[in-house]
Amino acid sequence: MQSPTVMEAGEEEVLQVLEVCEDIEETMEVIVTTIEEDFITNIPPVASSGPGTQTSQDDNWGETTTAVTGTSEHSLSQEDIVRITKDLEDSVGLDCRRYFTLTLAVLMGLLVFLTPVAFLALPHLLWQDKLQSCGTACEGLYISVAFKLLILLLAVWALFFRPPRAGLPRVFVFRALLAVLVLLFVLSYWLFYGVRILDSQDENYQGIVQYAVSLVDALLFIHYLAIVLLELRQLQPCFSVCVTRSTDGEIRHYNLGQLSIQRAALAILEHYYCDFPVHNPALLSASKSRAAKHLAGLKVYNVDGEFPAGTADGPGNNAAAGMAHSQSRAMIAAAARRRDTSHNELYYEEAEHERRVRKRRARLVVAVEEAFTHVKRMQEEEQKKAPGDVMDPREAAQAIFPSMARALQKYLRTTKQQHCHSMESIQQHLAFCITNNMTPKAFLESYLSPGPTLQYSRDHWLSRQWTLVSEASVTSGLKDGSVFLLKCADFSLVVTSKKIPYIQMSEEYIDPKSHKFVLRLQSETSV
């Protein structure tokens, strides 16, 4: 039996060998990465199919800060030109519709606000000599009309003239109904005014002023109706929607009120950018590469030699087709046999990946803590210098960034996050942490745990256009079991809705006297 000293020495030798192997793996990774980057630098550019396929232009900032490439940033392919033309056409159409809607709203607003003023001004302009004098009550109505119009103006500005959040495919039904209602209402008032007042040239000016006051009061009530339909109606939760991202299966649940499908889609997209983690296509390539590796390891040999070539319907082609069919069946059978051992490979691959992630994370934490310690030392030294020689946070971030750059880049590559963080964004975040006197843990939190989509640069998550796919009309309301899709270039969001059930609650009365009891003690006690 071996002694403990001999066993401890053997374990130390094994650990040393493992450390040497890990250093060799890291060196091979650096060499392979350098060779791949040199190869990518010398090949012509390839047109990307969407925003999710774009990679970072400076992916080697951990090794060096200088990058020389032979490709041009402005080289375009035919597919890029077609895509840019389509985006321009879509943007032009959206801008025209937006400006047309804004112009129509402004014209209707002017009609609404100028109508009461016109009712009061036209009698003075057309038959001023026949008008009766306006008494104290009539002049008081002037003040009422003025303040009511001011209140209506502020209320309309607060409710309708807000920056648009998105461009919807169809018109907002309730807003269109309110616009039609206001238009019919104003035209009806103008028709009555023209028939009963303009034609007869009514001399009772106080009655005309009261008629204008009634118009303003009715417009205030219509604005109250607009608040109920556009804002208050959707506040009470009625549906629970489940949002699933099609690529990685990320799921979130939200409660929505009485909304149309397109308005519900807009609310879901607003929640998506704040709640969902950023879409990372690099994490989805592991299963594909594993399946390709399994299929690549299978080979089929023809021990009988090649089949002779024949006519289109000859025996040679029939034999070749039969051979191809048998080969495919052989590969399927071999893949089925290898499926029994594939879970072991997956288990060890995931265990190795977790070990590497923990190792890279530990190195990154140590490097960042040393860098922040150096920053504190520099701040103490800067306090002793003259005010003109003090280093600003940007310069301090650039000074300490090289000490942590290599460890940070290795960690981001291991966790497939290198395309989400550029060197410039990391330096800006580092300068922000130094300015606000944040700890190393606060700096690392953005890289150790993936945050919401809005946390990253707009180039990595912003989609120019979402497509709403629904079997039902997008202007119809949500229903129990409604299903629709929100598509962008790289993935889609599958939305299913369930109606919140009606809850029946009953009351059970408990008599307060039922809780009272009497404690009776026996007089006799044991000795």
Side-chain angles (χ1 to χ4, degrees), residues 17 101 139 143 153 172 247 357 489:
V17 171
T101 305
E139 292 176 356
I143 300 175
L153 176 63
F172 191 8
T247 52
V357 168

Side-chain angles (χ1 to χ4, degrees), residues 70 90 97 124 166-167 256 267 344-345 351 405 407 414 420 442 453 502:
D90 295 339
R97 187 172 62 179
H124 285 283
L256 299 179
N344 291 330
E345 298 178 5
T414 305
C420 297
T453 304
Y502 177 77

